[in-house]
Amino acid sequence: RGGCTVQRSSLLLAVALLRLVVFPTLHRCKTPARGRTPLPGHAPSIFRFGLGIGDGDGANQSLFYSRRVGRAPQGRAHPQGGWVDRPAESRILGAWKLSGKTSNGWSVGVLNAVTGREDARVATVSGERHSTAVEPLTNYAVTRVQRDFRNGNSALGAVATGVNREEVVAHDLGLRTGAYTGGVDARHRFGDGHIQLNVNLLASHVRGSTGAIEATQRSPIRYYQRPDAPHLSLDPTRTSLSGWSSTLELWKMGGGNWRWATGTQWRSPGFEANDAGFMTEGDFRAVFGFVGYVQNEPGKHLRSWRVNTSAWSNWTFGNEHTSLGGNVNGNVQFMNNWSAYGGINRQAEGLSTTQLRGGPAMVREASWNGWSGLNTDDRKAVQGNLGFNWNVRPESNSHSWNTNANLRWNPSSQIQLRAGPFVSRRVEDQQWGGLITTEAGPHYLLGRLDQTTVGMTARADLAISPTLTLQLYAQPFLSSGDYGEFKEVVAPRSELYQDRFRLLETQEDGRLYRVDLNGDGPLESFANPDFRVGQFRSNLVLRWEYRPGSTLFLVWAQARDDFQARGEFQLGDGVSDLFGHQPENVFMVKFNYWLTP
């Protein structure tokens, strides 16, 4: 105050006290839950270490992903004609988190959590009852340090994560016994603070049984078993796997109207961060460029506007060209504070190394996609937004679209209500159908998928007092997929789309399809992949700040899941079946204690 700057150190200690899972009445062949209830509250930004580049889908990838702690058990239990009660989540036996920033520029974050061994209860049709482990006792640890220089314009940092699992159970379940990542990063601003250079270098190491490491090599992230990738080699005798990742970005973030960026990222095939973090792909080298123009000075009709263009290209470490694309997008804010945005993207033809799930690379045809949206004035008591995006691939007659709307109402300064539906339609001519191996070799099957998805998200926030709040979240979700027009991939790199496949004459036999793949008379069979999935997630969170910076959370979460092996979309029946299932309820207590408020 009065022109004086006060500097002090601050540390926050968070402890998860209790996690109690209440199981419902047992059900015959219970469907595993899809998802889990996260710890209440967001992790401080010190734990955020992004793995992607730019602000697209890769921006969601991170070296630490909090939902890994307390994840759904990874093992399976076989009902043998009876029933299985399999917990939907791993119990958090204890957790603590220490984070803060000192007066001399050090930012520190340390987190440790232990989740318990989980067992599924099985009753066979003969009446035998037993338990089988589906998740080992696991310890998660994350450490992040960063030091600021030049009044925060430059920084150096280091990060490390570690996951250790109970060895015997991990071996039995084919899970990795240990997984570690670590690395360094730096940022530097110059040009009057308008230009920033970001760089990081990371390494990973996982270990386990030969089965666990073979599964790691066969993972969709890398597919070491691909027959046409000489730079990859599957070794079933390995008990560990290591890899690395590096990123270099240069951004012009301010100064004048022009913005630009360029960068590159390399991620080796062996890099693996999914035990503690979240990543979706490996084995790539990527480059990108971006140019934008922003106008923040109000004009006659617009308060502000912006237009951007970007381009990118990707290759595997075997020099396979997998992606080449670009887009143009922009947004405007009107004088009444409404805003709109939109963009169009072109993706050129490239090689897909994942389409055949471990098979040879396949040509992915060119596509167009776009997006748009409208937002009302966010200062009003009633606010709304509408979004829409689409994708078309003319060569295969594949297309998709989805739309979402959201209405927000603030009847008072203490209450906020939000709700909105989302709907999507997708027709995909190259949806994975399965792999059948005969004496003639592997046969890769694809089908034409017709999928419909609907759902709704609702939230309510009530501020009972400045230190006591109540939050409610609920989301029902229903999706169905109907398959047809099955085909076998015969020439995955052919120039003409129709030459890549052979249409199959299938015969339906209950839940099976039968087809003569070899032309020798006997019929091979594969399961009908039609599906209908329903899911409901809700949680109620009471938050009490019992002293400045220190909080207590009481949480009640409920989950319902339904799966039907049929593809027709029936909204009424789907909702009825979903809410006909007994729910699983989770009760949790968590508190934060600020050591130096």
Side-chain angles (χ1 to χ4, degrees):
R1 296 180 181 178
C4 297
T5 301
V6 178
Q7 290 186 318
R8 62 182 181 181
S9 303
S10 61
L11 294 174
L12 176 68
L13 176 66
V15 180
L17 281 180
L18 174 67
R19 185 181 181 89
L20 176 63
V21 180
V22 180
F23 293 100
T25 305
L26 298 180
H27 285 275
R28 189 177 181 87
C29 300
K30 185 178 175 183
T31 303
R34 295 167 177 81
R36 71 168 211 90
T37 305
L39 288 170
H42 296 290
S45 59
I46 185 66
F47 292 103
R48 170 68 184 172
F49 196 103
L51 288 175
I53 54 178
D55 58 358
D57 294 337
N60 297 321
Q61 301 181 57
S62 180
L63 207 60
F64 173 63
Y65 181 52
S66 63
R67 289 177 179 264
R68 298 300 188 205
V69 181
R71 66 184 302 164
Q74 301 169 80
R76 297 289 180 181
H78 302 289
Q80 303 175 35
W83 53 254
V84 171
D85 178 51
R86 176 178 177 272
E89 299 173 341
S90 301
R91 292 164 298 146
I92 300 176
L93 301 181
W96 61 269
K97 178 174 62 182
L98 182 68
S99 63
K101 188 168 185 176
T102 67
S103 58
N104 58 354
W106 283 98
S107 296
V108 180
V110 183
L111 180 148
N112 195 83
V114 178
T115 59
R117 165 176 165 162
E118 297 295 340
D119 294 281
R121 293 182 290 173
V122 180
T124 66
V125 69
S126 63
E128 177 188 353
R129 291 174 180 249
H130 65 274
S131 296
T132 182
V134 291
E135 182 73 16
L137 178 73
T138 306
N139 185 86
Y140 298 86
V142 183
T143 300
R144 175 77 164 124
V145 294
Q146 193 173 50
R147 174 66 189 274
D148 290 344
F149 302 95
R150 300 173 57 243
N151 295 320
N153 286 313
S154 299
L156 292 174
V159 64
T161 71
V163 176
N164 291 285
R165 298 186 175 95
E166 182 184 359
E167 189 169 299
V168 173
V169 178
H171 281 331
D172 290 342
L173 297 176
L175 301 177
R176 296 182 282 266
T177 56
Y180 314 97
T181 67
V184 294
D185 69 314
R187 74 168 189 270
H188 176 65
R189 281 201 176 189
F190 57 97
D192 293 329
H194 300 314
I195 301 176
Q196 180 166 309
L197 174 69
N198 301 320
V199 61
N200 67 51
L201 179 62
L202 305 171
S204 72
H205 178 77
V206 295
R207 66 183 186 217
S209 65
T210 56
I213 300 305
E214 181 177 351
T216 303
Q217 295 175 79
R218 292 181 176 273
S219 163
I221 292 174
R222 53 192 60 85
Y223 285 134
Y224 272 40
Q225 72 272 32
R226 283 177 48 214
D228 60 344
H231 68 291
L232 301 174
S233 178
L234 177 66
D235 182 356
T237 66
R238 298 188 67 151
T239 57
S240 66
L241 186 68
S242 300
W244 59 273
S245 174
S246 66
T247 303
L248 176 68
E249 297 178 306
L250 185 65
W251 290 80
K252 182 178 183 295
M253 310 173 69
N257 300 105
W258 289 97
R259 305 288 185 269
W260 53 262
T262 186
T264 182
Q265 183 174 48
W266 292 42
R267 189 178 297 170
S268 77
F271 185 78
E272 176 58 69
N274 273 314
D275 292 87
F278 172 67
M279 56 174 277
T280 58
E281 59 181 329
D283 187 18
F284 69 83
R285 296 175 289 127
V287 295
F288 78 94
F290 153 81
V291 176
Y293 187 89
V294 58
Q295 178 56 263
N296 290 320
E297 292 294 329
K300 184 176 180 180
H301 303 291
L302 300 175
R303 287 187 179 274
S304 64
W305 59 273
R306 179 171 189 156
V307 62
N308 311 299
T309 182
S310 59
W312 59 90
S313 191
N314 291 10
W315 298 263
T316 68
F317 272 56
N319 210 35
E320 299 159 301
H321 199 183
T322 58
S323 178
L324 175 65
N327 68 55
V328 176
N329 63 84
N331 59 74
V332 298
Q333 184 178 37
F334 302 102
M335 300 304 292
N336 61 357
N337 282 302
W338 284 45
S339 61
Y341 62 89
I344 189 167
N345 183 89
R346 172 65 172 177
Q347 183 74 35
E349 183 179 272
L351 283 177
S352 171
T353 59
T354 60
Q355 177 71 38
L356 300 185
R357 304 193 179 188
M362 178 175 165
V363 174
R364 180 185 56 243
E365 74 271 27
S367 66
W368 289 93
N369 69 279
W371 59 96
S372 58
L374 180 67
N375 304 303
T376 66
D377 187 349
D378 58 10
R379 303 170 304 172
K380 303 295 185 181
V382 178
Q383 307 161 28
N385 59 64
L386 179 67
F388 180 78
N389 63 67
W390 53 270
N391 179 286
V392 294
R393 304 204 313 273
E395 193 172 17
S396 64
N397 193 25
S398 299
H399 50 88
S400 66
W401 60 265
N402 69 73
T403 185
N404 62 85
N406 187 69
L407 184 65
R408 183 165 51 223
W409 179 36
N410 301 323
S412 73
S413 60
Q414 295 176 274
I415 302 175
Q416 184 179 89
L417 305 174
R418 289 172 286 177
F422 53 90
V423 180
S424 72
R425 287 276 295 124
R426 176 175 173 236
V427 176
E428 171 58 62
D429 194 53
Q430 301 175 67
Q431 185 65 32
W432 177 253
L435 169 65
I436 298 178
T437 301
T438 68
E439 294 180 357
H443 301 266
Y444 301 97
L445 307 185
L446 304 176
R448 188 171 178 85
L449 171 65
D450 190 327
Q451 183 177 5
T452 301
T453 302
V454 299
M456 174 172 283
T457 302
R459 301 175 187 269
D461 299 296
L462 171 63
I464 302 171
S465 74
T467 59
L468 188 64
T469 61
L470 187 66
Q471 297 177 311
L472 173 66
Y473 166 85
Q475 184 186 75
F477 169 88
L478 187 66
S479 182
S480 67
D482 187 22
Y483 285 76
E485 298 182 23
F486 291 98
K487 55 185 75 70
E488 179 186 359
V489 179
V490 293
R493 299 200 186 202
S494 176
E495 291 187 10
L496 297 179
Y497 182 80
Q498 61 270 23
D499 291 344
R500 298 168 201 159
F501 313 103
R502 175 174 69 93
L503 291 177
L504 300 176
E505 296 182 4
T506 57
Q507 303 174 15
E508 283 195 64
D509 183 5
R511 288 295 305 158
L512 295 175
Y513 281 106
R514 301 192 183 277
V515 61
D516 183 4
L517 292 173
N518 293 336
D520 56 1
L523 301 180
E524 289 76 32
S525 62
F526 61 97
N528 185 338
D530 290 354
F531 66 89
R532 191 184 74 196
V533 176
Q535 184 183 90
F536 175 74
R537 292 289 181 269
S538 68
N539 58 62
L540 185 66
V541 180
L542 182 68
R543 178 186 181 277
W544 174 38
E545 188 174 5
Y546 56 90
R547 67 189 297 267
S550 301
T551 50
L552 174 69
F553 294 92
L554 302 178
V555 182
W556 169 38
Q558 186 180 102
R560 298 173 188 259
D561 292 272
D562 177 61
F563 177 81
Q564 303 286 337
R566 50 182 177 177
E568 66 274 12
F569 181 80
Q570 296 176 328
L571 181 60
D573 288 348
V575 172
S576 177
D577 290 342
L578 174 61
F579 285 94
H581 283 271
Q582 289 281 354
E584 181 176 82
N585 296 290
V586 175
F587 297 92
M588 181 167 59
V589 179
K590 176 192 172 184
F591 81 85
N592 296 340
Y593 184 79
W594 201 323
L595 296 177
T596 55

